[in-house]
């Protein structure tokens, strides 16, 4: 599909992190264009207890390997005790609207009889993305039949007056050795009102073969069709992206062989590679992604040239 060239680790948590709430990791990096000179990458940064809060890393648009600013404090902190996001959060998506910048996020809650619960919240910024305020303290995508433990939105598009959401759904656990790991797959729903998301949805992708989880869908419009980058895990420990394409964003065909990306021979992304998210800058596509241990060391970058025939790609950033 694209010929990706890796550019290495961009945000190095040990080097660039501000400590305290940002001690390690940069989970699910999600780029957004701050202005013509700057790209802002929102991510979940973990403290010493492993609790993730949302902040950002600003990089140069013309050279995204250069970090120019790191948020000194979270743009969204953990929720009130007892709420669905009181144990941490990761990025879902960032969407600009006339009502302000919408941040869809996945809130985590630790519970007694499961590893965690994960449901989707919404926060809105009125200051250009420097801070976000929760729209409500409850999830906008909560439990329903078949999604008792996970309902995690990771890609949102607003098209022709409708919100289109792609998300991971989990209902049980896979035991590998003595440890439980969440089982999940990707589903889709659309709505005209984020306060009234239908419970009836559609399956997009299910795990296959030895896979037990497939999630973090990132959906883009490119060259007359939809592309979905996702991350898949199997029972032997592989955790790696996949690729699918669709004419309508609902019915998908996997084409993992066209991903154009591989593990490095050594270093921060040699064991696992996960959570890719794309943005266009001029004639380049930029992919921000995590490596080993779901991004413990930070996030990196890969770059691809846009095919000339594609013209201006409609890429959700």
């Amino acid at each position: 599909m694209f010929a990706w060239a890796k550019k290495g680790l961009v945000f190095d948590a040990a080097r660039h992190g501000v400590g305290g709430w940002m001690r390690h990791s940069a989970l699910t990096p999600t780029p957004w264009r701050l202005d013509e000179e700057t790209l802002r990458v929102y991510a979940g940064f973990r403290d010493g207890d492993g609790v993730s809060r949302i902040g950002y890393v600003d990089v140069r648009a013309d050279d995204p390997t250069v970090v120019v600013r790191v948020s000194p404090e979270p743009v969204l902190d953990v929720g009130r005790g007892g709420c669905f996001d009181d144990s941490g959060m990761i990025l879902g998506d960032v969407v600009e609207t006339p009502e302000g910048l919408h941040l869809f996020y996945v809130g985590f809650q630790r519970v007694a009889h499961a590893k965690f619960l994960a449901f989707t919240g919404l926060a809105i910024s009125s200051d250009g993305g420097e801070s976000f305020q929760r729209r409500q303290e409850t999830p906008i995508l909560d439990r329903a039949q078949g999604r008792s433990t996970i309902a995690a939105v990771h890609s949102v598009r607003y098209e022709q007056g409708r919100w289109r959401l792609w998300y991971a759904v989990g209902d049980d656990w896979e035991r590998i050795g003595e440890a439980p790991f969440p089982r999940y797959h990707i589903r889709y729903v659309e709505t005209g009102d984020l306060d009234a998301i239908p419970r009836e949805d559609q399956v997009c992708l299910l795990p296959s073969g030895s896979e037990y989880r497939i999630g973090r869908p990132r959906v883009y419009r490119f060259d007359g069709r939809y592309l979905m980058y996702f991350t898949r895990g199997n029972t032997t420990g592989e955790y790696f992206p996949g690729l699918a394409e669709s004419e309508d964003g609902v019915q998908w065909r996997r084409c993992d062989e066209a991903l154009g990306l591989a593990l490095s021979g050594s270093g921060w992304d040699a064991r696992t590679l996960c959570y890719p998210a794309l943005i266009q800058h001029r004639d380049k596509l930029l992919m921000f992604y995590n490596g080993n241990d779901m991004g413990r060391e930070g996030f990196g970058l890969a770059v691809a040239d846009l095919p000339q025939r594609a013209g201006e790609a409609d890429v959700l950033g």
Side-chain angles (χ1 to χ4, degrees):
M1 186 71 68
F2 303 113
W4 295 102
K6 290 184 176 181
K7 301 299 181 181
L9 187 65
V10 173
F11 172 78
D12 182 339
R15 176 186 172 194
H16 298 113
V18 299
W21 67 278
M22 189 188 283
R23 192 162 299 279
H24 66 83
S25 303
L27 304 164
T28 59
T30 305
W32 174 69
R33 185 175 302 283
L34 184 63
D35 53 45
E36 281 303 307
E37 289 75 37
T38 311
L39 301 177
R40 174 161 290 178
V41 183
Y42 289 100
F45 302 92
R46 283 178 163 161
D47 64 17
D49 294 324
V51 175
S52 172
R53 296 165 175 85
I54 294 175
Y56 63 77
V57 177
D58 289 345
V59 300
R60 282 176 46 182
D62 61 351
D63 184 359
T65 64
V66 177
V67 173
V68 297
R69 185 168 184 248
V70 176
S71 56
E73 57 188 35
V75 300
L76 186 67
D77 210 331
V78 296
R80 184 166 56 90
C83 291
F84 77 101
D85 52 359
D86 67 359
S87 303
M89 56 191 61
I90 60 173
L91 251 294
D93 206 352
V94 180
V95 182
E96 197 159 2
T97 77
E99 291 74 38
L101 191 62
H102 283 48
L103 187 149
F104 297 82
Y105 68 96
V106 181
F108 289 86
Q109 188 171 36
R110 294 178 179 144
V111 293
H113 299 295
K115 192 173 182 179
F116 58 79
L117 303 177
F119 297 102
T120 300
L122 174 62
I124 299 175
S125 175
S126 58
D127 60 5
E130 288 296 320
S131 64
F132 291 83
Q133 291 73 46
R134 285 172 175 79
R135 184 170 178 177
Q136 60 193 45
E137 288 191 304
T138 54
I140 63 165
L141 192 68
D142 204 346
R143 295 185 187 210
Q145 187 67 29
R147 60 177 199 232
S148 60
T149 57
I150 297 173
V153 170
H154 282 290
S155 206
V156 180
R157 297 181 68 89
Y158 189 69
E159 297 179 347
Q160 299 178 337
R162 304 281 291 175
W163 292 96
R164 307 189 69 187
L165 299 90
W166 292 264
Y167 51 98
V169 168
D171 198 44
D172 58 358
W173 305 85
E174 179 83 16
R175 296 202 70 85
I176 302 176
E178 295 300 316
F181 291 85
R183 300 181 65 184
Y184 47 81
H185 62 277
I186 297 170
R187 301 180 77 94
Y188 165 83
V189 74
E190 64 179 71
T191 182
D193 183 358
L194 290 173
D195 291 324
I197 299 174
R199 291 201 170 196
E200 298 75 22
D201 57 11
Q202 299 183 64
V203 173
C204 292
L205 291 175
L206 294 169
S208 65
S210 63
E211 296 171 351
Y212 67 94
R213 55 180 172 175
I214 178 170
R216 177 57 172 168
R218 297 291 300 165
V219 175
Y220 306 95
R221 187 88 173 136
F222 183 83
D223 202 19
R225 66 194 187 281
Y226 293 91
L227 299 179
M228 179 193 289
Y229 288 80
F230 55 88
T231 298
R232 52 198 170 92
N234 63 25
T235 54
T236 59
E238 182 186 42
Y239 203 53
F240 196 75
L243 179 63
E245 60 181 11
S246 171
E247 301 302 321
D248 60 5
V250 181
Q251 304 296 324
W252 294 87
R253 301 175 298 277
R254 283 182 66 164
C255 48
D256 298 346
E257 69 284 352
L259 179 66
L261 205 62
L263 295 173
S264 296
S266 61
W268 70 279
D269 63 349
R271 290 186 285 107
T272 59
L273 196 158
C274 54
Y275 311 143
L278 277 57
I279 191 170
Q280 180 183 352
H281 182 65
R282 297 177 183 159
D283 60 348
K284 304 288 186 184
L285 280 182
L286 312 176
M287 175 193 286
F288 295 90
Y289 68 95
N290 288 137
N292 303 338
D293 302 315
M294 299 183 178
R296 184 178 179 88
E297 293 181 62
F299 64 76
L301 173 71
V303 179
D305 292 325
L306 278 171
Q308 290 184 349
R309 61 181 172 79
E312 289 296 317
D314 175 19
V315 176
L316 177 63

